[in-house]
Structure formats: C-alpha cells, structure tokens
Amino acid sequence: MVVPARYSGRGVVASLLLVFLLVAGLAGVSAQRSRRPQRLDSLDRHFSQSSQSANNNMTGLDLPEFSVGTTLSIEPFVPGDYTGRVVDERFIEAHIATNTVMTPPVGDPIFTVHHVYWGYIQDESFGKNVLVAEIAGVDVMEYSLYLLQFTDQGELVSTLCVARHAAFSDSAIQLGSRVKEGRIDTTYQSRFFHHDVPPHLNPVVERSYKVGRSQGGSYEEIVTGNYYMPNPHGIGLSRAMESEFFSAWETQRERPRMFLIGWSRGGYMAYILESFQDGMGAVFYTWHIFDIASNRMVWNRRDNEEDALKRISSSPHRIQSPEAFMEYYQKSISTLAPVLQEFGIITHTEAEFTPLLPGRWYIEGEEVAVRVINETRSFHPYFGIERITSYDMVIQRENRERRVFAQKDMEGLVLGIRPIGRILYPHDPDKAVIVSAQVLRGWEGPPHGIGLQVNGVRTDF
C-alpha cells in the first residue's frame, strides 16, 4: 500500500517525536534511579553553601536569626520541642566533647545533658557562628546558652556563655546578654535566699566581651565591666584556723579576712586581704592579683599607715566589720577598676573556700592532700626565737606527689605555716588555689599575728 505524500511527511515527524519522548523518558527514569540521597550533616551543608552565601549561620539549618540590638536569654525548655535542631554527633565530637567551657555528654545515666541548635548572630563582626543551648544536671537542671565562633575554614576559636538560668534551693542564677556590633554585653545576677549578706549586696555583674575578629584574622576576648561588692564578711577563713595548731602559737584573736573580687580566663585571681596590725591597732587592706599558672603575685597594692590610721578616726564602724569593708570598697573600687580590667578580671564571687579539714579531699575516688615538708629552722639572734628559713609544699594524689612551692632563705619571722583551705578555679576544674596561714611573730612577742599565702595547684597528675 502506498501512503500519500501529504501523510508520509507528517508520519515521519510523528515517529521522530515519539522516539524523542521515549528516549527522554527512559533517560529521566535512569537518572532518577541512579540518584543517591545526599546525607550531608549540618557542617557539610554549611561548607557547600558558604561560597555562595554571606550568611553567618554555621549549621545550614533554618535557625532563628539574632541581629545587633537583640537580647539573648534562656529559660527552662523541653528538648523534645526541638527535635529538628538537636546537635548532631559530629558537631559534638568536634566542638563540644573537648570544650572546657561547655558540658560534654558523659555517658552517666544519672547525669542529664542535651544540646540544641538555638540560632545564630547575623552580623559580619561576629563571623561564622552558632548559638547552642545546653541542659545539664542531675536533680536540678542548669540551662545555658553558648556562642561558638568559627573561622571561615570551620575551626572553633571562641566559646562564650551568653545566657544562663538555674534555680537551686538556696540561690538563683540568671545571666542574659545584648548583642552589640562586635561585642556582647552580659549581665549576671545571683540571689541568695538563705544568706547572712543583706539582699542589696547580692552581686549584679556587668561583663562586656569584645569577640570580633582582629586584623590578623583571629578572634579575641577583651573583658571590661563593673566590679560589684564581694561578700563583706569575707570567704570564711576563720573556721579553718580554729585548730590546735594556731591555738598552740598563742595567735591574736583578730583573724585576717580575704575578699574574692574575681578571676580572668587567663588564670588570674584578684582578691583583697584585710589584716590587723596589733602594734597600731589598725586594719590594712592589700589588693592582690595572683597568677595561678606561674604561681606568683603579679600585682599588689597596700594601704599606707596614714590611710589605715585615718579610717580609725573617720569611720563610725568597728574595724574588721562588714560595714567597714563595704565603706572601704565603695571608696576604692573606682580607682582600682582599671587595673582589674587590664588583667581581664571579671567579678565572680561565688567560688567557695573549702577548709582542708582534716587536710584532704577526694577526686575520682582518690585522696588528695596538701602538706608542708622539708621544713628547716634557725635561731634568730636578735629576737631569741626559732623561725622557719625554708620549706617545700607538695600536693599528693594517692601514691603520686608533685611539688607546689619551694621557699628558700626566708628572712621574715615566720614561726609556723599550715595549708588551711582551697578555692576552685571556676574556668578549669583541674586548677585550684591553696590558701595557707602563716604564724608571724607579734609586735612584742605573743599574741602572734597571722598572714596568708596563696599557691596555684593542678590536680590532674
């Protein structure tokens, strides 16, 4: 059969079209079957998009955006409400597991830890970043919000706690922040429900962190802020000195007091020491900044006699009273705050002094103790007494021992020395400050005075 010419052209076109559609369809099916699901985690998605986007978000997830002027805060929340924003295992392993600022998962069924992606700061001065919310605790949960900053290559360079909420039986802690260009301003407040300090002295601390990128491309943290009143009663040294050791030396009734001002993340501790001088009947205040790492005093400033005597006549308060210290601190802090800021000190008066009674504590089931050994004495020809001329201080952990401090060729009239307590460094659980009391010969013999000495120790050995 012969097909007419007018129909044969159309048939060819139709046949070609049919073949084209059939080939295209098969190709589509083949492509669909060969396509593998892309199971990139949050960081992979970020790096695949970072070259095309100026977004600061490190995760690639659709997270809330915080810009300059907004407030960062956190209240109790249920992790189940954020199932799509649970921090993935790779991120935890890379940036939380060894992060000394945050709380990593510990594998303890009693201890609860959750991490949730909370948002990010969309401002170029903060670079790549993410906000991670953390729930941690056993019976009482603490809710914290951390700002993690990264280089463009994904290296973690800064971790700051920008918000916190915790409510205990005897106290409450609240911390919040406000985002500013190139910096975070935080306000920290702790309230004590059963405490002998008047309510108006509960510390409210303003901390200002500059966390922007420096010219060299790295990040820096510069701390400024106001320095609020330490506990005007001191940190409780007296109860650690009421032992037979001090009674045997006929020490004076007036004990020194220590007032903790704060710490820096670089390992500095700032405090004020109040000491009674029997010969004058006056109280002297000395400001100290101590470096835990190098175990040395890097700065101090002591009253002169004129100032100490003037307080006796001008103040209506009894010397060594909480009111007398409050009056002194309020007059002095504005002058000395620039020095504290220079060393990066921020107010942190919550660190506890723990007496070393009976001279030891425990870490991971191991007994830890600090002792004075190798003590040598010599007879002082003028005063007619034996005084200490050298000694070593060591920390022991089970059968391991490390020397903390060695004092040689002492020239003063130190009659005895005893470690009496410790203060934990708040930024590293493996560091602490040991407080020791020294018996110092009195003005004309007994009653003898008491001086204080601090030494930095590490317990992870």
Side-chain angles (χ1 to χ4, degrees):
M1 179 178 177
V2 178
V3 180
R6 64 178 181 270
Y7 291 107
S8 62
R10 293 177 181 176
V12 173
V13 173
S15 299
L16 292 174
L17 181 60
L18 179 61
V19 171
F20 174 77
L21 293 175
L22 180 60
V23 172
L26 290 174
V29 172
S30 176
Q32 185 175 5
R33 288 179 179 175
S34 65
R35 184 181 297 125
R36 291 176 298 175
Q38 297 183 2
R39 301 184 61 183
L40 299 178
D41 64 18
S42 58
L43 289 181
D44 289 333
R45 287 196 299 272
H46 159 70
F47 290 125
S48 66
Q49 298 169 2
S50 61
S51 59
Q52 290 87 17
S53 173
N55 197 313
N56 289 20
N57 183 9
M58 271 295 297
T59 66
L61 299 175
D62 185 16
L63 299 178
E65 175 185 303
F66 296 90
S67 56
V68 172
T70 57
T71 299
L72 302 174
S73 63
I74 194 166
E75 297 291 337
F77 66 93
V78 179
D81 296 340
Y82 298 86
T83 54
R85 286 156 50 181
V86 174
V87 175
D88 51 86
E89 291 296 330
R90 180 181 172 188
F91 191 96
I92 291 177
E93 182 179 351
H95 305 303
I96 297 179
T98 58
N99 194 325
T100 58
V101 181
M102 302 180 69
T103 305
V106 294
D108 187 340
I110 299 178
F111 189 82
T112 300
V113 183
H114 295 286
H115 293 98
V116 173
Y117 291 120
W118 198 257
Y120 67 100
I121 297 178
Q122 181 55 32
D123 183 84
E124 62 180 7
S125 62
F126 287 88
K128 299 298 179 184
N129 68 86
V130 66
L131 293 163
V132 175
E134 176 184 281
I135 303 176
V138 180
D139 298 321
V140 179
M141 296 296 106
E142 293 190 46
Y143 300 83
S144 305
L145 185 62
Y146 296 95
L147 168 65
L148 286 76
Q149 289 185 288
F150 300 82
T151 64
D152 291 336
Q153 291 72 38
E155 296 179 0
L156 179 64
V157 290
S158 175
T159 303
L160 292 174
C161 182
V162 294
R164 177 162 289 167
H165 176 95
F168 305 99
S169 60
D170 60 349
S171 62
I173 296 173
Q174 194 81 35
L175 183 147
S177 301
R178 188 171 180 83
V179 181
K180 294 189 176 181
E181 186 175 355
R183 61 188 267 182
I184 295 285
D185 284 352
T186 69
T187 300
Y188 177 95
Q189 185 171 13
S190 63
R191 296 187 181 278
F192 298 93
F193 304 136
H194 304 288
H195 204 277
D196 57 356
V197 176
H200 69 280
L201 293 181
N202 284 331
V204 179
V205 184
E206 296 178 1
R207 307 171 183 172
S208 178
Y209 297 96
K210 179 181 177 183
V211 294
R213 208 178 293 221
S214 68
Q215 292 182 352
S218 62
Y219 288 78
E220 58 184 341
E221 177 184 331
I222 300 174
V223 183
T224 61
N226 298 322
Y227 298 92
Y228 286 80
M229 184 77 65
N231 184 335
H233 294 270
I235 62 172
L237 299 176
S238 294
R239 68 180 187 272
M241 287 188 273
E242 302 299 336
S243 66
E244 295 180 1
F245 175 81
F246 296 100
S247 300
W249 285 105
E250 299 181 64
T251 55
Q252 63 191 25
R253 181 176 58 86
E254 295 83 2
R255 301 299 200 218
R257 294 196 298 168
M258 183 177 181
F259 306 90
L260 184 61
I261 300 174
W263 310 78
S264 78
R265 290 190 178 275
Y268 295 121
M269 178 182 75
Y271 65 95
I272 301 172
L273 180 62
E274 176 194 86
S275 56
F276 178 79
Q277 189 160 328
D278 187 40
M280 299 176 60
V283 162
F284 284 78
Y285 292 106
T286 307
W287 294 64
H288 296 276
I289 296 180
F290 177 71
D291 184 2
I292 299 176
S294 64
N295 216 346
R296 65 186 181 90
M297 204 68 66
V298 295
W299 178 86
N300 62 63
R301 174 177 171 176
R302 187 176 188 267
D303 275 339
N304 56 46
E305 290 188 9
E306 182 180 352
D307 291 335
L309 293 173
K310 186 183 298 183
R311 280 195 297 271
I312 298 177
S313 58
S314 63
S315 175
H317 306 297
R318 178 181 57 84
I319 61 173
Q320 285 202 301
S321 67
E323 293 77 14
F325 174 78
M326 290 164 55
E327 183 180 70
Y328 168 77
Y329 186 85
Q330 290 168 346
K331 291 180 179 179
S332 305
I333 186 59
S334 59
T335 303
L336 297 175
V339 179
L340 302 177
Q341 292 179 7
E342 179 183 346
F343 285 92
I345 302 293
I346 58 176
T347 300
H348 188 114
T349 58
E350 295 79 22
E352 287 191 23
F353 170 83
T354 305
L356 295 180
L357 301 172
R360 62 183 67 90
W361 71 96
Y362 292 86
I363 298 176
E364 299 175 350
E366 294 185 335
E367 182 179 283
V368 182
V370 177
R371 299 187 302 116
V372 170
I373 63 172
N374 301 329
E375 184 180 294
T376 62
R377 293 176 174 270
S378 66
F379 188 80
H380 196 286
Y382 179 77
F383 292 100
I385 58 171
E386 272 196 346
R387 45 81 185 263
I388 298 176
T389 53
S390 67
Y391 68 90
D392 293 330
M393 184 179 294
V394 297
I395 181 171
Q396 294 176 313
R397 182 167 176 175
E398 290 297 308
N399 59 351
R400 307 185 298 280
E401 182 177 282
R402 173 182 289 179
R403 188 170 68 177
V404 174
F405 182 71
Q407 180 69 62
K408 306 297 181 184
D409 302 321
M410 297 171 58
E411 296 182 355
L413 295 174
V414 178
L415 309 182
I417 182 169
R418 174 71 61 88
I420 61 171
R422 64 187 173 102
I423 308 173
L424 293 180
Y425 177 52
H427 303 300
D428 187 342
D430 295 324
K431 294 180 181 179
V433 171
I434 299 298
V435 181
S436 302
Q438 297 179 334
V439 178
L440 308 175
R441 184 186 183 277
W443 188 261
E444 296 179 347
H448 301 301
I450 295 179
L452 292 182
Q453 174 182 302
V454 296
N455 294 103
V457 299
R458 292 196 66 97
T459 58
D460 56 340
F461 67 95

